Amino acid sequence: MKASFGLLVAIISAQALGTAMTNCAADERILFSCAANKKTISVCVSPSALNNSYVEYRFSAAGKMTFSYRADASQPKHLFQRVHVTGASSASTIIWFENDGYVYLMNDPIKGRPSISVRKDRKTITRMECTGKFAGDTDIVSPYIQEKTNDEYFNLLR
């Protein structure tokens, strides 16, 4: 399986080089990727915005893919959301998607460590801080990422 081989190569390369762990293939752009609690969480973007473009969340544990969520032309209801939240002394870019009643949030703050949260019924059920090196460009543009306002984001949390 190509995805599994690419994942294995990315993990071995990251361990050897001391760089961020990622589930993204070498030709994909990394929107968000880090290791947390012996898991690797990545959001990968297709190498180009051509007809086969996509954005895909990938979650792996011990080098094995356990969950993925893909937004592409064949799944028009699958979308990622993004907001840039600013406060008095900090700012974050937050990317999220909803799947089967769960909300998956990736937070890239200016201060502190990036983190991943999973919410259900408006309550956080899992939160993990990135413990390894972070990789990504959370400002990558894609037709499968919708920009949201702060109000829309905070309404999600209420």
Side-chain angles (χ1 to χ4, degrees):
M1 209 157 83
K2 184 178 179 184
S4 295
F5 177 73
L7 170 63
L8 182 59
V9 170
I11 290 171
I12 290 170
S13 298
Q15 290 172 339
L17 298 174
T19 58
M21 303 263 290
T22 184
N23 294 322
C24 300
D27 65 338
E28 293 176 316
R29 296 179 299 159
I30 302 171
L31 185 70
F32 182 99
S33 193
C34 73
N37 301 339
K38 299 181 182 180
K39 296 163 180 66
T40 302
I41 300 93
S42 303
V43 180
C44 311
V45 180
S46 59
S48 69
L50 299 175
N51 295 337
N52 297 330
S53 67
Y54 58 86
V55 176
E56 188 168 13
Y57 171 93
R58 299 175 186 151
F59 183 94
S60 66
K64 182 178 178 182
M65 194 71 61
T66 59
F67 175 69
S68 66
Y69 178 89
R70 186 177 180 111
D72 61 23
S74 70
Q75 302 170 95
K77 292 185 180 181
H78 285 199
L79 290 173
F80 287 78
Q81 318 295 320
R82 174 173 44 214
V83 67
H84 302 282
V85 178
T86 56
S89 63
S90 78
S92 287
T93 299
I94 301 163
I95 298 162
W96 75 92
F97 66 92
E98 296 180 48
N99 184 48
D100 290 334
Y102 292 89
V103 179
Y104 298 78
L105 300 110
M106 285 70 52
N107 181 9
D108 180 20
I110 298 252
K111 294 180 181 178
R113 293 187 172 272
S115 63
I116 301 90
S117 299
V118 179
R119 296 175 57 88
K120 174 112 172 123
D121 300 325
R122 300 190 180 267
K123 293 183 179 140
T124 300
I125 58 171
T126 300
R127 184 178 184 285
M128 298 179 284
E129 277 194 0
C130 296
T131 53
K133 292 185 180 185
F134 173 80
D137 176 359
T138 54
D139 290 325
I140 292 173
V141 175
S142 165
Y144 305 108
I145 302 172
Q146 293 182 332
E147 300 297 329
K148 294 296 185 178
T149 66
N150 285 352
D151 286 344
E152 289 171 308
Y153 169 69
F154 289 116
N155 283 337
L156 174 76
L157 301 179
R158 290 186 188 129

